Amino acid sequence: MSIKKVMVIGAGQMGSGIAQVCAQAGFDVLLNDMNEVAIDKGLANIEKLLTRAVDKERITAEEKENTLNNLTKSTQLQDAKSCDLVIEAVIENMDVKTKVFQQLDEITPKHAILASNTSSLPITEIAAVTKRPDQVIGMHFMNPVPVMKLVEIIRGLQTSDETYQAIENMTNELRKTPVEVNDFPGFVSNRILMPMINEAIYTVYEGVATPEDVDTVMKLGMNHPMGPLTLADFIGLDTCLYIMEVLYEGFGDSKYRPCPLLRKYVKAGWLGKKSGRGFYEYN
Ligand code: CAA
């Protein structure tokens, strides 16, 4: 099937990044959020990034204009009635996501594919609340979306080959690299990344080294672009804890137990960059 019109639900950092790359690839994009202020903020950020790309001669002024023209604000889920694909990027909460998918199942045309950008919730369970589980799939983009090349494509238990193929083709059109993954806790990316971050936190918790030194070891020793604690602050410590809980519960294996220091920071409201403090302080 051919995808032309896309709705992205959630105008936060991930949602606006996804909307940007879809619009840049020529798709007709509705950026949807219940909160109009959030959409304006998302669109302003997209414009800022595009202006920077023009200044650096990565794209032309015409490409910037075309991208902005491909983006439309939407505050009503009903607007999904004309879409071929909906990509949901709302908060990581199963109740919220299943409510959105139930509504989308009623609103969208029969042929539409419903995708979730969830970083760890089971696609199979989200799909099960719809009458089209074969057309539900995971499209897990990485942060920052305009920069990172990967999209993990997660097949739920009932996702059809046709749906998978359409999403793989679209991911290639976005100039991203698709990787096919089956639906298990944390998929591939977070099953590997989060235990590494959790272990880095244990290293600090047990007094082996300071956050700065742990990060330096991984940056200079392993050529990671960011140390694991800087990355944890960047992702959000609440998100890291949430994903560790999903792994711990999903596999029932103690190797995924979240570090007590991670829990303590989240309880203190030290959520990383977004709250001004995590393993580091931000002004
Ligand atoms: N949005 C858009 N572009 C951004 C950006 C953002 N938030 N942050 C940085 N960039 C761009 C910059 O504009 C810059 O572009 P130019 O070359 O045009 O200047 C380019 O990225 C490089 O940025 P910087 O020079 O400022 O800094 P850097 O070299 O350290 O790169 C980084 C920044 C790309 C974020 C890099 O540090 C990196 O790759 N870090 C690791 C990111 C990562 O691991 N992401 C995955 C997180 S996990 C996830 O998303 C999944 C999940 O479920 C939790």
Side-chain angles (χ1 to χ4, degrees):
M1 77 159 250
S2 120
I3 296 170
K4 291 198 172 65
K5 191 161 179 182
V6 180
M7 175 183 272
V8 179
I9 306 178
Q13 208 181 12
M14 293 304 287
S16 59
I18 296 167
Q20 178 185 334
V21 295
C22 291
Q24 271 186 288
F27 292 93
D28 185 2
V29 182
L30 294 176
L31 180 56
N32 173 281
D33 202 296
M34 286 186 301
N35 178 352
E36 203 171 343
V37 177
I39 306 179
D40 290 338
K41 203 172 147 200
L43 290 174
N45 196 40
I46 293 173
E47 183 157 12
K48 199 175 95 190
L49 291 171
L50 292 172
T51 303
R52 191 180 156 89
V54 173
D55 291 345
K56 294 211 151 196
E57 298 182 354
R58 292 227 176 86
I59 62 169
T60 63
E62 193 189 351
E63 281 175 282
K64 175 188 156 187
E65 277 320 300
N66 290 343
T67 301
L68 292 174
N69 288 338
N70 286 342
L71 286 159
T72 308
K73 276 197 222 180
S74 155
T75 51
Q76 305 291 329
L77 219 47
Q78 280 297 334
D79 297 334
K81 65 179 183 296
S82 56
C83 291
D84 308 305
L85 168 67
V86 180
I87 306 174
E88 165 276 313
V90 303
I91 61 162
E92 290 289 271
N93 175 303
M94 193 48 124
D95 289 340
V96 176
K97 288 199 195 280
T98 50
K99 276 193 191 102
V100 170
F101 274 77
Q102 273 164 343
Q103 291 178 69
L104 289 173
D105 196 27
E106 298 298 321
I107 297 167
T108 52
K110 276 201 163 48
H111 72 271
I113 294 176
L114 308 181
S116 175
N117 176 54
T118 180
S119 56
S120 57
L121 291 171
I123 298 301
T124 305
E125 198 176 328
I126 297 173
V129 304
T130 72
K131 291 183 212 81
R132 59 179 101 185
D134 54 319
Q135 287 164 236
V136 177
I137 195 160
M139 268 184 109
H140 184 208
F141 291 81
M142 302 292 131
N143 190 14
V145 179
V147 180
M148 306 300 281
K149 290 279 168 229
L150 176 72
V151 181
E152 260 187 317
I153 304 184
I154 301 106
R155 295 184 78 127
L157 192 60
Q158 300 183 71
T159 307
S160 69
D161 289 342
E162 197 189 350
T163 299
Y164 177 79
Q165 203 54 56
I167 294 303
E168 187 185 78
N169 293 347
M170 180 193 177
T171 303
N172 284 321
E173 283 182 62
L174 299 179
R175 284 173 241 119
K176 303 275 184 204
T177 302
V179 172
E180 182 177 353
V181 172
N182 285 320
D183 188 21
F184 284 96
F187 315 132
V188 170
S189 56
N190 281 322
R191 181 167 177 175
I192 297 172
L193 175 66
M194 287 302 160
M196 182 193 72
I197 286 177
N198 197 45
E199 203 56 32
I201 301 172
Y202 265 109
T203 316
V204 174
Y205 176 63
E206 291 170 4
V208 180
T210 62
E212 289 81 358
D213 286 345
V214 171
D215 277 351
T216 301
V217 166
M218 298 307 285
K219 271 176 72 176
L220 302 188
M222 284 78 194
N223 255 358
H224 288 197
M226 280 175 167
L229 300 168
T230 303
L231 182 57
D233 275 0
F234 172 72
I235 293 168
L237 300 188
D238 50 343
T239 304
C240 294
L241 177 58
Y242 185 80
I243 297 171
M244 284 311 295
E245 300 280 23
V246 168
L247 292 172
Y248 190 33
E249 199 194 312
F251 290 113
D253 187 331
S254 65
K255 75 177 175 182
Y256 298 110
R257 76 220 176 284
C259 178
L261 189 63
L262 175 60
R263 286 191 194 283
K264 191 183 236 181
Y265 278 17
V266 172
K267 284 208 173 109
W270 292 9
L271 306 182
K273 211 170 169 188
K274 64 185 168 188
S275 74
R277 177 141 199 193
F279 288 95
Y280 300 95
E281 285 187 53
Y282 305 86
N283 295 317

